[in-house]
Amino acid sequence: MTENTAMQVSEEVAIEIRNMNKWYGTFHVLRDIDLTVQRGERIVICGPSGSGKSTLIRCINALEEHQKGSIVVDGTVLSSDLKNIDKIRSEVGMCFQHFNLFPHLTILENCTLAPIWVRKTPKREAEETAMHFLEKVKIPDQANKYPGQLSGGQQQRVAIARSLCMRPRIMLFDEPTSALDPEMIKEVLDTMIELAEEGMTMLCVTHEMGFARQVANRVIFMDAGQIVEQNEPEEFFNNPQSDRTKLFLSQILGH
Amino acid sequence: MSDTHAQSVAFVRETEIPPAPPPEAQSGAVRWMQQNLFSSVFNSILTVISFTFIAWLVINVYPWFANGIWQADSIRECRELLDGKTGACFAVLTERWNQLLFGFSYPVEGYWRPTTAFVLLLVSIAPVLARGRLPNAMFILTAIYPFLAYWLIWGGTIMTPVVALVGFVVGYMAYSRLVTRSFAMGAFGGTAAAIVTWYLGGFLVDAMPNFLALAEVPSRSMGGFMLNLILGTVCVSLSIPLGILLALGRQSNMPIVKGICVVFIEFIRGVPLITLLFVANVVLAYFLPPGTTFDLILRVIIMITMFSAAYIAEVVRGGLAALPRGQYEAADSLGLDYPQAMRLIILPQALKISIPGIVNVAVGLFKDTVLVSVISMFDTVGMIRGPIQQSTNWLGIYWELFGFAALLFFIVCYSISQYSQWLERQLQTDHR
Ligand SMILES: Nc1ncnc2c1ncn2[C@@H]1O[C@H](COP(=O)(O)OP(=O)(O)OP(=O)(O)O)[C@@H](O)[C@H]1O
Ligand SMILES: [Mg+2]
């Protein structure tokens, strides 16, 4: 694990969020978020339910619109310009809590759809890439099944493979394991660890603290729409600074 | 594993139990009747009443069918032949067969034309309905069918439908060239190219009016079941795409598009179809410049299409609303743009949910085509109530004619409904 944290983090900036604010109607969900992510960095975001973790990472690929401040992804400024939004989305992969696979398409079609239509990759090539990534998440033999025929853990791994097929430079995960049974959590986490070891830039909302200790360079704690504390995992878990962090950690590690 | 074993009592079977046949009452007709017909006193009473009713019906109706007269020239001759017995006079069907199917003024020597068009209709919708089980080359016939059918049924030079077809092709080519730059440019350029082609093609049509020409048949000569089929197929195939567009428009973020769609849908749904047909028949004429002849069938098609498109839009909207938001988000997060997300992800799923509703509207629409008899068009019902029942030969004949009309419509509608059930089974991939 020390070996992992020592993995190369370049000086290049992948995501830069400045003074970002978001409201749902009059409800102030995100307040003055400042966050810089270097290329190759692996960040775990945690915090109590309703603290705005999902909203934050959904703002990064414009699934939610922010009202104030700026977000720059990979040098592209996120504005309401649809061209920029589509560009950013095709560079940023996202995995959801409920997988969101397309139930009317086979696993292989799920994986080749975006490369074919967005990247204009020839079908053959897209299928080869898809099989490559399905092998990587260890389910090449399910390629011709439909999502409904797979277990939850397998579906989530397909979802990861589907994102990877677009060859994203940044991956966002929103509680990828919280809809899964314990024995399936491990298979998904293993896939994510492997991805981290290859140097993928990752932002991951999760409550899997073992995973955070093993792969994260930085853990961010959010509460009530603000970043309350951020630190290296060892420091964060062993020596939390704010009272809210201490309370949160005692609740999730405490039992 | 071993724990549970340790807790259970040791037991090892030493002899096999030989297989035994099921007890008599467990299977066969007796058991089925006991379970389904006589399971309780109330159920038994219902069974007896139902059987009595069915028996009464058969005993009374059967002679009517069996004694039916198939060959006669008038209802008087029928009655003479029946000689006081109960019996149907099916002779009206054989004698007026052509009128029931084609109306009374379609040229007799041209009956082969709509008949061919009907056969080709079956062939050309087959690849659409069979979902990839037939060779893709058959879609070529599907694409040219509307133009071919127009030429066959209405006649005139073949240049008219050819120019129309070429206009669409040219428009589409211009569109696909320009759409890579921007959608608006593609749409505008495509439309412009098509209009220019049609304009220029108009001279060609005028120049050679007799090139491969069939005798022209005016719209008012269309009648009988043929008219119902024309209206039904054209309106169903136009109103499904229009309905989908309206449903998408109603979901749009653009307030003007959304507003237009909402007003259109709500207005059309609030007005009876008959009213719209009267508008098509009478009122539209006031708005058109004097001297223009705007084909009545075309006007009726526009009205029925708008009417059912509004209903289909609401059905599709239900399907769209039933999709989890995650599907939209997943499509967005992969970088698909709006048309791609709709075509590849959202609509295939939403339409699948909407199939029963769409079929419901389609069947309703097809049956509603008989309403055109109210604005004095001679469709099946118009023919029956007009020229046939009012002729001196067949005055006072009802059951046979309306029974026949009901049968024709039943065959078509029942086939549609059976097909939709097959389609739903085909699309069953989610195994939830
Ligand atoms: N579409 C919405 N409209 C209005 N309020 C919303 C909407 N989505 C989220 N919220 C509110 O914003 C807050 C932050 O939501 P968010 O989903 O980001 O929380 P979270 O930290 O991801 O929580 P969890 O751990 O439960 O997923 C919550 O209080 C939620 O009620
Ligand atoms: Mg969340």
Side-chain angles (χ1 to χ4, degrees):
Chain A
M1 125 184 108
T2 33
E3 176 191 70
N4 274 333
T5 20
M7 252 175 354
Q8 279 294 304
V9 173
S10 79
E11 287 301 299
E12 211 181 317
V13 175
I15 303 172
E16 175 143 36
I17 302 176
R18 282 276 153 269
N19 199 17
M20 192 258 281
N21 281 268
K22 171 163 181 62
W23 288 262
Y24 280 123
T26 55
F27 175 54
H28 201 169
V29 216
L30 294 177
R31 312 179 188 182
D32 288 342
I33 303 286
D34 279 301
L35 178 66
T36 306
V37 183
Q38 311 297 132
R39 183 157 303 295
E41 229 186 338
R42 297 164 305 278
I43 293 181
V44 163
I45 303 171
C46 60
S49 181
S51 56
K53 308 176 298 286
S54 302
T55 312
L56 171 61
I57 69 165
R58 289 155 58 84
C59 280
I60 295 175
N61 68 352
L63 285 183
E64 303 285 354
E65 213 180 340
H66 61 282
Q67 280 94 28
K68 204 174 142 216
S70 72
I71 302 180
V72 180
V73 182
D74 235 354
T76 312
V77 182
L78 196 70
S79 54
S80 53
D81 185 350
L82 287 179
K83 278 239 169 66
N84 280 356
I85 291 181
D86 281 339
K87 178 155 182 280
I88 287 173
R89 281 175 179 165
S90 61
E91 301 297 335
V92 179
M94 170 121 186
C95 281
F96 301 87
Q97 182 175 5
H98 296 288
F99 333 132
N100 296 352
L101 294 176
F102 305 131
H104 62 301
L105 300 175
T106 64
I107 300 304
L108 190 63
E109 288 165 345
N110 264 278
C111 293
T112 54
L113 183 102
I116 290 175
W117 291 94
V118 180
R119 291 250 190 276
K120 317 283 183 213
T121 316
K123 187 159 180 255
R124 282 290 300 279
E125 201 183 314
E127 279 175 357
E128 276 164 25
T129 317
M131 286 314 291
H132 167 77
F133 283 111
L134 286 175
E135 259 157 46
K136 219 170 114 160
V137 301
K138 307 199 177 58
I139 31 181
D141 44 332
Q142 315 281 359
N144 292 317
K145 289 195 181 167
Y146 286 94
Q149 296 166 299
L150 266 55
S151 77
Q154 290 173 326
Q155 291 192 40
Q156 190 60 291
R157 283 183 285 154
V158 171
I160 296 175
R162 178 176 73 177
S163 300
L164 292 178
C165 284
M166 285 294 280
R167 309 235 179 229
R169 309 180 60 168
I170 300 166
M171 283 289 292
L172 309 175
F173 294 87
D174 189 2
E175 308 207 30
T177 55
S178 57
L180 298 177
D181 292 339
E183 64 267 37
M184 298 175 190
I185 292 181
K186 187 177 174 306
E187 58 191 34
V188 171
L189 287 182
D190 285 346
T191 308
M192 290 168 63
I193 292 170
E194 207 176 300
L195 204 58
E197 283 168 356
E198 286 168 14
M200 176 68 81
T201 313
M202 290 165 64
L203 260 82
C204 186
V205 176
T206 181
H207 292 148
E208 295 294 329
M209 290 308 150
F211 173 79
R213 280 175 192 269
Q214 193 179 344
V215 297
N217 316 82
R218 203 167 7 141
V219 180
I220 290 178
F221 174 70
M222 286 185 70
D223 192 16
Q226 302 164 57
I227 296 182
V228 174
E229 184 166 348
Q230 47 179 316
N231 215 330
E232 286 183 2
E234 285 308 301
E235 276 293 297
F236 180 83
F237 290 113
N238 298 337
N239 191 12
Q241 301 296 313
S242 89
D243 292 341
R244 275 188 281 175
T245 320
K246 282 176 197 161
L247 182 65
F248 176 74
L249 285 177
S250 74
Q251 275 167 356
I252 62 163
L253 301 172
H255 5 257
Chain B
M1 258 315 234
S2 51
D3 281 354
T4 38
H5 263 278
Q7 281 159 15
S8 60
V9 182
F11 169 79
V12 177
R13 181 181 295 287
E14 277 157 0
T15 50
E16 292 263 307
I17 302 174
E24 199 58 30
Q26 292 280 311
S27 62
V30 176
R31 174 157 168 89
W32 184 88
M33 275 167 58
Q34 261 180 13
Q35 273 191 344
N36 294 293
L37 300 180
F38 300 102
S39 60
S40 68
V41 177
F42 180 66
N43 207 342
S44 308
I45 295 173
L46 273 187
T47 304
V48 171
I49 293 176
S50 316
F51 271 104
T52 320
F53 178 70
I54 294 172
W56 176 83
L57 210 62
V58 170
I59 291 170
N60 281 283
V61 175
Y62 177 74
W64 189 75
F65 271 104
N67 297 339
I69 304 291
W70 291 90
Q71 285 302 335
D73 286 332
S74 71
I75 192 161
R76 257 164 284 112
E77 200 183 330
C78 254
R79 295 214 174 107
E80 276 161 27
L81 284 168
L82 277 170
D83 199 18
K85 284 180 295 189
T86 11
C89 183
F90 296 120
V92 65
L93 302 181
T94 43
E95 205 240 358
R96 297 298 177 104
W97 179 254
N98 286 333
Q99 287 195 353
L100 284 165
L101 293 190
F102 301 103
F104 64 96
S105 53
Y106 201 93
V108 180
E109 65 284 358
Y111 282 163
W112 65 271
R113 288 158 45 181
T115 314
T116 318
F118 177 69
V119 173
L120 285 178
L121 171 71
L122 299 183
V123 180
S124 62
I125 56 172
V128 183
L129 300 186
R131 296 187 18 92
R133 278 147 203 259
L134 292 170
N136 277 342
M138 284 180 73
F139 279 107
I140 298 174
L141 179 61
T142 313
I144 59 172
Y145 178 76
F147 306 96
L148 193 58
Y150 174 83
W151 178 62
L152 280 170
I153 295 175
W154 273 268
T157 167
I158 200 171
M159 290 315 288
T160 318
V162 166
V163 166
L165 178 61
V166 169
F168 277 110
V169 172
V170 169
Y172 178 75
M173 284 188 344
Y175 166 80
S176 55
R177 276 282 164 76
L178 294 169
V179 77
T180 46
R181 288 203 218 142
S182 88
F183 178 76
M185 216 164 131
F188 179 76
T191 317
I195 289 175
V196 169
T197 316
W198 286 326
Y199 181 73
L200 296 178
F203 294 114
L204 205 61
V205 174
D206 290 341
M208 37 168 88
N210 293 320
F211 181 69
L212 275 183
L214 291 172
E216 268 188 65
V217 182
S219 280
R220 61 175 180 281
S221 297
M222 308 292 155
F225 194 59
M226 174 182 78
L227 181 58
N228 296 111
L229 276 179
I230 293 176
L231 293 175
T233 18
V234 174
C235 295
V236 167
S237 39
L238 290 179
S239 63
I240 290 177
L242 185 62
I244 294 172
L245 287 182
L246 282 170
L248 291 179
R250 194 169 185 169
Q251 284 216 322
S252 162
N253 294 327
M254 290 178 271
I256 295 180
V257 175
K258 183 177 173 146
I260 292 174
C261 292
V262 170
V263 170
F264 179 88
I265 293 172
E266 295 304 331
F267 173 74
I268 297 281
R269 289 204 312 162
V271 178
L273 178 56
I274 291 270
T275 320
L276 291 178
L277 290 177
F278 277 124
V279 170
N281 189 25
V282 190
V283 185
L284 267 187
Y286 289 118
F287 292 108
L288 295 169
T292 39
T293 50
F294 190 49
D295 195 291
L296 180 61
I297 289 196
L298 190 57
R299 282 184 267 168
V300 167
I301 284 176
I302 292 174
M303 286 301 175
I304 300 183
T305 302
M306 291 200 315
F307 186 77
S308 50
Y311 281 88
I312 288 180
E314 287 301 279
V315 172
V316 174
R317 189 166 71 107
L320 289 172
L323 280 197
R325 214 163 75 107
Q327 292 291 312
Y328 293 84
E329 290 176 354
D332 283 347
S333 75
L334 285 169
L336 297 172
D337 59 22
Y338 177 81
Q340 287 170 339
M342 284 301 143
R343 188 157 55 90
L344 301 167
I345 309 297
I346 306 303
L347 282 179
Q349 297 183 62
L351 290 182
K352 184 180 117 188
I353 305 175
S354 325
I355 290 174
I358 292 179
V359 168
N360 215 4
V361 176
V363 166
L365 178 160
F366 182 60
K367 290 186 297 183
D368 281 352
T369 57
V370 299
L371 288 179
V372 299
S373 62
V374 176
I375 54 168
S376 54
M377 287 172 88
F378 292 99
D379 76 315
T380 315
V381 170
M383 281 308 294
I384 293 175
R385 294 183 40 82
I388 301 181
Q389 281 189 333
Q390 273 158 34
S391 69
T392 40
N393 281 352
W394 299 109
L395 203 62
I397 195 157
Y398 291 97
W399 287 95
E400 295 81 350
L401 287 167
F402 285 112
F404 177 69
L407 183 68
L408 284 181
F409 279 92
F410 176 77
I411 291 172
V412 175
C413 295
Y414 186 70
S415 320
I416 298 177
S417 124
Q418 286 299 305
Y419 168 72
S420 83
Q421 285 175 24
W422 176 83
L423 185 62
E424 274 176 68
R425 282 195 299 277
Q426 289 296 303
L427 296 176
Q428 197 73 52
T429 58
D430 47 359
H431 310 279
R432 258 179 252 168

